[in-house]
C-alpha cells in the first residue's frame, strides 16, 4: 500500500524535528536544570513539567512558546490522545486568555493537518479498518448536508464525540476544509476553555475529577444541543421549500426528475 510509506516518512520527520527541538536545540542546557521533556501521562507529571517550563520560560520565553506549539501540533496532527493535558499546560504557562487563544488556534490547525494527512495517505486505511462507522457517519452527513456546518458544530460540542475519528474521516466524507476548520475552532472552544482555565490553577488540583465533573459534562451537552437547533431549523425550512417546489411541479403538470 503506497500510502503507508508516505505516512511513516511524514511521521518520522515530525518526530525527529520534535526530538531535536526538545533536546539538541534547547538553549542554555548547561546552565539550566537538566530534565527530559516528555508528554505528561498523569497529573503529577503535568504539574512537574509545568513548574519546570515556568522556571525555564523566564530566560527562554520564545523557545518555550515554540516547543509548546510544536508539541501541540504534533499531537493533533497524528491524532495522539492527551490534548486535555496540553490545554492545561497552556493555561499554566501562558495564563487563561493567551492560553485559550493558543490552544483554540493550535487545535484547529492541528486538526486541519490531520485532515490533510488523512486525505493524502489515510483514506484507504480508515475505510478498511472502520467501514461500519464511516458508512454510518456518511449517512448522517448526507442527511444534514443542507445544514452541514451546524451539524459539524454539534458533533464537536457533544462531549462524547471522538474528535480524532472526525478528523480522519472528514476528507472521506467530502466535508469542505473551510467548514471543517471553523467547526473545530468554535466547537471545541468550551472544552478548551474549561481545560485552560483549570490549567491556570494547576498547582491547586488534586485530581482530574476536579476538571471533568458531571456538572461540566452536562454543561457541554447543553451547549451541543443548543448548537443543533439552527441546523434543525435550516433543514426543516429546506424541506418545506422542497415541498412547495413539488407542489408547483404537480400544478404545472410536470414530472419531477
Amino acid at each position: 500500500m503506497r500510502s503507508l510509506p508516505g505516512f511513516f516518512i511524514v511521521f518520522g520527520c515530525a518526530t525527529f524535528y520534535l526530538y531535536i527541538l526538545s533536546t539538541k536545540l534547547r538553549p542554555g542546557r548547561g546552565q539550566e536544570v537538566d530534565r527530559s521533556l516528555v508528554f505528561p501521562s498523569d497529573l503529577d507529571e503535568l504539574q512537574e513539567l509545568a513548574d519546570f517550563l515556568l522556571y525555564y520560560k523566564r530566560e527562554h520565553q520564545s523557545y518555550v512558546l515554540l516547543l509548546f506549539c510544536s508539541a501541540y501540533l504534533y499531537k493533533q496532527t497524528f491524532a495522539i490522545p492527551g490534548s486535555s493535558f496540553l490545554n492545561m499546560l497552556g493555561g499554566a504557562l501562558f495564563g487563561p486568555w493567551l492560553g485559550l487563544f493558543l490552544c483554540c488556534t493550535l487545535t484547529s490547525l492541528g486538526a486541519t493537518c490531520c485532515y490533510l494527512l488523512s486525505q493524502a495517505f489515510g483514506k484507504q486505511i480508515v475505510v478498511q479498518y472502520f467501514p461500519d462507522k464511516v458508512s454510518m457517519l456518511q449517512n448522517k452527513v448526507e442527511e444534514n448536508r443542507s445544514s452541514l456546518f451546524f451539524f459539524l458544530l454539534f458533533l464537536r460540542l457533544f462531549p462524547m464525540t471522538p474528535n480524532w475519528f472526525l478528523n480522519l474521516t472528514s476528507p472521506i466524507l467530502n466535508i469542505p476544509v473551510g467548514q471543517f476548520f471553523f467547526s473545530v475552532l468554535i466547537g471545541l472552544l468550551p472544552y478548551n476553555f474549561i481545560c485552560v482555565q483549570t490549567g491556570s490553577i494547576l498547582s491547586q488540583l488534586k485530581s482530574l475529577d476536579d476538571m471533568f465533573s458531571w456538572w461540566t459534562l452536562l454543561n457541554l451537552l447543553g451547549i451541543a444541543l443548543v448548537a443543533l437547533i439552527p441546523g434543525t431549523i435550516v433543514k426543516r425550512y429546506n424541506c418545506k421549500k422542497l415541498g412547495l417546489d413539488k407542489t408547483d411541479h404537480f400544478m404545472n403538470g410536470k414530472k419531477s426528475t
Side-chain angles (χ1 to χ4, degrees), residues 184-229:
V184 175
L185 181 66
I186 299 172
L188 291 183
L189 178 61
Y191 172 79
N192 289 339
F193 176 79
I194 292 170
C195 294
V196 171
Q197 291 291 326
T198 304
S200 65
I201 55 168
L202 184 61
S203 60
Q204 305 173 25
L205 287 182
K206 301 302 181 184
S207 95
L208 291 179
D209 292 337
D210 296 337
M211 180 176 66
F212 295 112
S213 64
W214 280 107
W215 179 246
T216 298
L217 294 176
L218 287 175
N219 283 338
L220 289 177
L221 178 60
I223 295 172
L225 292 176
V226 170
L228 190 60
I229 293 175

Side-chain angles (χ1 to χ4, degrees), residues 17-29 32 35 37 52-53 56-57 59-71 93-94:
Y17 160 75
L18 194 59
Y19 171 76
I20 293 296
L21 181 64
S22 62
T23 55
K24 306 299 182 183
L25 299 183
R26 194 195 322 178
R29 291 166 59 222
E32 307 288 346
R35 186 188 192 281
L37 298 178
F52 173 76
L53 289 178
Y56 205 78
K57 182 170 169 279
E59 298 290 334
H60 311 290
Q61 185 171 358
S62 298
Y63 171 78
V64 171
L65 177 61
L66 176 61
L67 180 65
F68 176 79
C69 292
S70 300
L93 293 178
F94 306 107

